[in-house]
Structures are given as C-alpha cells and as structure tokens.
Amino acid sequence: MRRVVVVGASAAGLAAAETLRRAGHDGPLTLVGDEPHAPYDRPPLSKQILSGAWPAGRLSLRRDEDLDALDLDLRLGTAATGLDLADRAVRLADGSRVPYDGLIVATGVRPRRLPGEGAHVLRTLDDALALRDVLTPGTRLVVVGAGFLGAEAAAVARGLGAHVTLLEPSPVPLAHAVGTEVGGMLSRVHLDRGVELRTSVTVTEVTEGGVRLADGEVVEADEILVAVGSLPNTGWLADSGLTLGDGVICDEYCEAAPGVYAAGDVARWYNPLFGTSMRIEHRTNAAEQGMAAARNLLAAPKARTPFTPVPYFWSDQYGLRIQAYGYLRGHDEVAVVDGDTAGRRFVAAYRRGGRLTGALAVGMPPKAVRAWREAVADGTAWHEAVRDEAAAPDDLIGTGHHHGKETSHARQ
C-alpha cells in the first residue's frame, strides 16, 4: 500500500487523509478536489454563511500549516473524470492520471435541479455566497423543497427580511423522515414566523419570473432556491466496473472493490447495526466514515472492523435546535416519550420492526437524548425502550413521560 489516492476534498476525504497519516502511512498521498477551495465545512452554508454571521474564511476545516504537515499531493480545482480499476489509476480533468495502490472515493453529492434557468442551489461555498448577496429585505424568495436544507434556508431568509414561500410536494414536510407529528410541528414553526408554506404542490420548472406548478400556476419570485434533494457524484465512475446504485455500493467495511473504499455522502454501505444498507448525508457520518475507510484500507483483511455507527444529525431553525440519533427513515412508529410537540420541547422515539432505531429531540439539552443513543446502539427492543400507555413512568428510558404515539408507514 505505497500510493494512496483520496478523491473528494471535503470532510470525508480530509478525515481519510489525516487518518492514513496517523496510522503510519508515509507513502505518496494524493487528495483530489473539484473545488478550488481548501477543505471546508458545509453545514454552516445554510445557516451562518447564508445569514452573514460568519465570514467565508471561518469555514476552513484546517489551517494551512496543518494541511502542509500532511505532506499531500493536493490537486484542488481538478475533478476526477474516470477510474481504471485494472490499471489502478484515477483520470483527472486536466488529462493527467494518478496511479494508486489504495483508493478512497469521497466525492459527495450534487444538488438535484429542475428544468429552467436562474434558480439557486445550496451545496458549495460559492452557492451560499451567491444566494446571500440577493437576500435583502423585501426580496420574494421561493424555496422549492421543505426538507432540512430548504427549511434552514427559509428560516435564515425570513431573519433577513425576505418574503418566503416554501413549496413542498408532500402533505406534511419531512413526514417520510421524522413522522407526521414532528413534521407538522416544524411546519407550524415556519408558519408562525410568516413563511407562506404550501404543501401537496409539485413544481415542474423554473420560469423567468418564478416557478411553474403542475396545474399551470406560476408562483412569482425574485429569487428561487431549489432544495429537492441530491444525487451521489458517481458519474465519473460509470465505466469503472464498480457497483453503483444510489451511491458506491460497499460492504460493511466500506470496501467497494479490492483496494477501493468509499466514504461520506457518496457511499452506500451495509450497516450491520441496523441490518440494512444505507447512504447518510450528514456531516458527522462523513468524518467518521472517512476515518473508518482509511483504517480498513491499511488493515490486514482479518483485522478490518465493520463500520456500524449510530448516525447523528442536527438542524437549527429560528434558534430551535433539532438533533437526532439513529436511522429514522422507513420507521413503522413514532412515540413522543418526553415533553410534547405543542410546547416544542420533546423527544420522539422511532420503531422499525421490533426494535428502537432512532430518537429525535427538539429544544432539548443533549443529555436528554444521550441515553436514547445508547439504547439504539445496543439494539434495544421497542417494548423495552418505550412503555405501554398503562405502564409506570419509571419504565421509560430518561426522565420524561410518554404523551402519545403516532403510527406511520413511511418507507425510504
């Protein structure tokens, strides 16, 4: 394992490169990134950068001297265009080929777009700065997609004095991920702040003065943000021979082919903890998986460790902190186990099959969900984690009370 190439210079790729050096790899190490910027953090793009609270320079994940200490062959502003598995080489947009003995794919995702021109997306620093420049008081902003990214951007835009219309195809935003009760509560937060939220509407295209809906109506706007999800950046791997399908398909060790591993938003791997394959687009997972992929790349086959995280994500909207542990998608049931949604301070637990698979907290301190994280990691049975209506309060994990249940048949 003399020459290692990491393609993708964001959180996962940087974590992989640092882990390789810490683990003793002293050979050539190439880090390829398609953006000209040194590795930077993405979650603040839709919050602190969009609001203007932070300067762009504050996003940097490492100081220049820390990057220099890694002794990298750093190829920024140069996209990978192909992979030759047989020859063990990565093809780059500048026409060069970078040979490798070990490869880590960490190319992330790109935003889905709609037909038409002129809409903003929010994935890169340049995207965030371009949108920030036009969010002035009185600007009419249409946000297409009320997922976490669209909701965060809508919250920031309202704080800047923009008039915001939030368009969502589902009857309840985020119901597929967090359930209808939690999704409904988050919707009410936006309505209370003056956002015009329209659900069960489908946007078909971006027009010169707004967006067109499936029924022909045009919703007028000065600016448009399309936040309708993302696609894994696997196009450059189309003829590589790797197995692709909503990401780079990996085993429990994050291995996609002999000597080839994947990490971060682009990786779909089998997580034994939940007994399913998953692709996670969260900042914490990117760093953890980058480290895991690097360690397994260097390890002897029998010394590798399955990557079995309890995923974690957070969101900030109007000063309200939302945090969740586990795998919430595809849940069968949601139960509010502490606080209540009306008061916007609660913990909700999620069931899939017979076990606890996740917990989400709104407006609660971190310690309120820590015990739930441990219960998810332990594979706790649902009936042990959440009491029946008639059970005593001390049967609960934590200190709250079970105020209600919601049954959902959401599927990924």
Side-chain angles (χ1 to χ4, degrees), residues 104-116:
I104 296 177
V105 177
T107 43
V109 294
R110 65 187 184 280
R112 292 180 183 269
R113 297 178 183 267
L114 293 173

Side-chain angles (χ1 to χ4, degrees), residues 224-362:
I224 300 153
L225 171 64
V226 175
V228 291
S230 55
L231 296 167
N233 280 324
T234 57
W236 67 286
L237 298 168
D239 63 351
S240 67
L242 291 181
T243 303
L244 308 176
D246 187 36
V248 178
I249 306 300
C250 304
D251 62 14
E252 65 268 37
Y253 304 106
C254 306
E255 187 178 44
V260 179
Y261 289 73
D265 296 2
V266 76
R268 174 167 283 277
W269 89 105
Y270 179 78
N271 186 340
L273 180 61
F274 295 90
T276 188
S277 66
M278 56 181 65
R279 187 175 65 81
I280 302 294
E281 295 183 23
H282 302 321
R283 169 68 174 82
T284 303
N285 186 79
E288 292 177 349
Q289 195 165 25
M291 293 187 285
R295 287 192 292 263
N296 284 335
L297 174 65
L298 295 181
K302 291 185 178 181
R304 297 182 303 172
T305 303
F307 182 55
T308 59
V310 175
Y312 170 75
F313 75 86
W314 76 95
S315 178
D316 292 309
Q317 299 173 33
Y318 306 109
L320 198 64
R321 169 57 62 100
I322 302 156
Q323 51 187 330
Y325 286 103
Y327 194 58
L328 277 53
R329 290 179 182 269
H331 61 263
D332 298 312
E333 182 180 354
V334 185
V336 176
V337 293
D338 195 351
D340 59 79
T341 56
R344 296 175 184 172
R345 283 179 56 86
F346 65 91
V347 177
Y350 292 76
R351 174 181 69 81
R352 187 174 186 180
R355 62 166 288 188
L356 175 75
T357 55
L360 178 145
V362 173

Side-chain angles (χ1 to χ4, degrees), residues 83-332:
L83 171 62
D84 295 326
L85 278 181
D87 295 337
R88 291 186 170 260
V90 175
R91 302 193 299 271
L92 302 183
D94 62 7
S96 63
R97 290 167 58 89
V98 184
Y100 68 85
D101 298 306
L103 172 67
I104 296 177
V105 177
T107 43
V109 294
R110 65 187 184 280
R112 292 180 183 269
R113 297 178 183 267
L114 293 173
E117 302 294 330
H120 296 267
V121 292
L122 189 48
R123 172 64 185 174
T124 69
L125 173 58
D126 294 340
D127 292 338
L129 295 177
L131 182 56
R132 186 176 77 181
D133 286 345
V134 298
L135 285 182
T136 55
T139 298
R140 297 175 302 168
L141 174 69
V142 164
V143 180
V144 184
F148 281 111
L149 179 64
E152 288 177 355
V156 169
R158 282 298 298 139
L160 295 174
H163 300 297
V164 179
T165 301
L166 190 55
L167 304 177
E168 167 60 35
S170 301
V172 178
L174 289 168
H176 68 289
V178 301
T180 55
E181 185 176 1
V182 177
M185 184 280 300
L186 294 175
S187 298
R188 291 189 293 275
V189 171
H190 285 276
L191 292 169
D192 289 349
R193 298 297 182 119
V195 171
E196 181 184 355
L197 173 63
R198 297 180 59 180
T199 59
S200 300
V201 295
T202 300
V203 177
T204 58
E205 65 175 331
V206 176
T207 67
E208 185 174 349
V211 297
R212 189 181 308 279
L213 305 184
D215 63 2
E217 178 188 354
V218 173
V219 180
E220 295 183 350
D222 301 312
E223 303 293 338
I224 300 153
L225 171 64
V226 175
V228 291
S230 55
L231 296 167
N233 280 324
T234 57
W236 67 286
L237 298 168
D239 63 351
S240 67
L242 291 181
T243 303
L244 308 176
D246 187 36
V248 178
I249 306 300
C250 304
D251 62 14
E252 65 268 37
Y253 304 106
C254 306
E255 187 178 44
V260 179
Y261 289 73
D265 296 2
V266 76
R268 174 167 283 277
W269 89 105
Y270 179 78
N271 186 340
L273 180 61
F274 295 90
T276 188
S277 66
M278 56 181 65
R279 187 175 65 81
I280 302 294
E281 295 183 23
H282 302 321
R283 169 68 174 82
T284 303
N285 186 79
E288 292 177 349
Q289 195 165 25
M291 293 187 285
R295 287 192 292 263
N296 284 335
L297 174 65
L298 295 181
K302 291 185 178 181
R304 297 182 303 172
T305 303
F307 182 55
T308 59
V310 175
Y312 170 75
F313 75 86
W314 76 95
S315 178
D316 292 309
Q317 299 173 33
Y318 306 109
L320 198 64
R321 169 57 62 100
I322 302 156
Q323 51 187 330
Y325 286 103
Y327 194 58
L328 277 53
R329 290 179 182 269
H331 61 263
D332 298 312

